[in-house]
Amino acid sequence: MDKLDVQSYAVQSLEELRTLVGTPHEAVVKKSIGMISDEAKRFIDQSPMMFLSTSSLDGACDVSPRGDKPGFVHVANPQQLVIPERPGNKRVDSLCNILDNPHVGLLFIIPGFEAFRDLGAGQLAGQGAASFLHGDFSGPSEAERLYRAINSRPIGGAC
């Protein structure tokens, strides 16, 4: 099979992109809500699964699935989320990326229902951070040692 010559078809500018795709409807642009609303909090509280996207300083991207009982992500306030770090394979790719580049993307999923997107800046916090959390953040087999705190800029439901 021949390799596709993508460069010959590359979109080079925003103008060219908009010509091909069009402009979004005003309602779609306005769905960026800028804080964790009560509706968003309810969705996050019901979600048993989320995906965390990060990238390194050199632009290498990573998407990491996270899941547990619904409510495992704590909404600390309308601007911040706290995500417990569960024991895993210890590669810590997303954690290393957050140390280098705090920009993250989150996609919360309620299987069979819908998705909610959030963007923000991540920061890692140690075990002492658990003292301000409300609720049970202990993992399936051991207490948490590390959390991701996300300064949130929610953009609402996925299209």
Side-chain angles (χ1 to χ4, degrees), residues 6-159:
V6 177
Q7 207 53 37
S8 298
Y9 303 99
V11 175
Q12 301 286 332
S13 68
L14 179 58
E15 181 180 90
E16 198 177 346
L17 177 64
R18 287 293 175 205
T19 299
L20 291 168
V21 178
T23 55
H25 187 276
E26 183 180 352
V28 174
V29 173
K30 287 185 173 184
K31 80 177 185 176
S32 182
I33 56 180
M35 63 175 234
I36 302 168
S37 65
D38 290 340
E39 180 182 358
K41 182 182 182 321
R42 280 191 298 276
F43 192 94
I44 292 167
D45 287 345
Q46 294 174 28
S47 175
M49 182 175 209
M50 50 105 29
F51 295 88
L52 171 69
S53 64
T54 62
S55 64
S56 65
L57 283 177
D58 67 357
C61 296
D62 182 65
V63 177
S64 179
R66 296 287 183 244
D68 206 331
K69 301 176 296 191
F72 76 99
V73 173
H74 177 69
V75 178
N77 59 56
Q79 297 297 322
Q80 293 179 311
L81 300 170
V82 179
I83 305 164
E85 175 64 17
R86 302 295 194 216
N89 63 13
K90 297 182 180 23
R91 278 189 53 126
V92 298
D93 295 327
S94 62
L95 302 178
C96 291
N97 287 345
I98 289 171
L99 287 173
D100 289 339
N101 175 8
H103 301 284
V104 301
L106 306 172
L107 181 64
F108 291 91
I109 304 287
I110 297 177
F113 182 64
E114 196 175 334
F116 177 81
R117 293 186 296 161
D118 193 354
L119 303 173
Q123 190 171 16
L124 304 182
Q127 194 170 13
S131 63
F132 75 87
L133 298 175
H134 304 290
D136 178 20
F137 276 82
S138 60
S141 61
E142 63 181 61
E144 300 307 326
R145 293 184 310 260
L146 190 63
Y147 297 88
R148 292 178 189 88
I150 308 296
N151 292 313
S152 181
R153 293 184 338 250
I155 56 176
C159 296

